Amino acid sequence: MAAKKSTPTNIDKRTSLSMDDLVGLESFDAALELMRTQGVDVVDITDVQDLLGDGFLFLQKDALVNIPMMLLDVKHTWSPSYDAPMVTVRAMTATHKRVKFVDFGTGIRSQLEMFEARAGRSPIGMVIPGLEASQYDVCNDCGRANCQDHADATVTRATTYRLKIGA
């Protein structure tokens, strides 16, 4: 027996435009104008992001440097893609944004594990003044930070992020 096809409910209006109209579009402005003339409610992703996924905006950690936040959820898992431990953090910023980010390294992930071990509790509810970045050199020959074994090797500048401890 075939599975019953799911159909969305409570949708006010579905608009179907002709393929001729769509393939004739040559610019973003023309597409925007077509939507408006057809009565389509054009929305920006920032207006609907809480309706997509889990309602938390995935950000790169550099966007959270010096942004105060409260940790709402912390999940330690194993990344099958990188074969390494990782942490996913969900937080509410002082600017009222629900955000999430991941960390694989010796920065945030290690800090959270250390806190959990020493405090004997979850970091959920922890208020921090944001993240902070620190840079270091990685040896292109061996991949280690601040390598002393390959004096002639070129290095790549890398960044790690930590929970900002001080204000």
Side-chain angles (χ1 to χ4, degrees):
M1 184 166 142
K4 185 176 179 183
K5 192 173 186 178
S6 168
T7 56
T9 57
N10 297 329
I11 299 201
D12 292 333
K13 177 181 174 186
R14 287 204 182 264
T15 302
S16 182
L17 303 174
S18 80
M19 191 52 76
D20 289 340
D21 286 338
L22 299 178
V23 297
L25 294 173
E26 294 183 7
S27 71
F28 180 84
D29 290 337
L32 190 59
E33 183 59 27
L34 175 64
M35 294 298 122
R36 288 186 177 139
T37 61
Q38 294 298 313
V40 175
D41 184 20
V42 177
V43 294
D44 187 271
I45 192 68
T46 57
D47 297 330
V48 298
Q49 66 192 17
D50 59 334
L51 302 174
L52 303 171
D54 62 5
F56 286 80
L57 179 63
F58 180 76
L59 291 178
Q60 297 300 317
K61 292 174 284 214
D62 62 346
L64 296 169
V65 170
N66 296 322
I67 303 295
M69 68 184 85
M70 178 189 296
L71 306 186
L72 302 175
D73 187 54
V74 175
K75 294 273 191 277
H76 295 277
T77 56
W78 192 264
S79 168
S81 301
Y82 295 104
D83 195 29
M86 64 179 274
V87 66
T88 302
V89 176
R90 287 177 175 79
M92 176 65 75
T93 68
T95 57
H96 315 294
K97 301 288 184 196
R98 288 185 308 265
V99 299
K100 67 181 172 183
F101 58 91
V102 296
D103 190 75
F104 294 89
T106 58
I108 296 165
R109 183 185 59 79
S110 293
Q111 282 180 305
L112 292 171
E113 286 175 354
M114 184 184 301
F115 173 82
E116 291 167 341
R118 289 181 178 174
R121 62 162 284 207
S122 166
I124 292 172
M126 181 187 293
V127 176
I128 60 171
L131 303 183
E132 62 185 0
S134 62
Q135 294 191 323
Y136 58 97
D137 292 327
V138 175
C139 174
N140 288 346
D141 285 354
C142 66
R144 291 188 317 230
N146 303 313
C147 170
Q148 303 298 315
D149 296 334
H150 304 103
D152 295 331
T154 57
V155 296
T156 300
R157 199 82 169 139
T159 304
T160 192
Y161 293 88
R162 290 183 168 68
L163 304 176
K164 189 172 184 179
I165 303 298

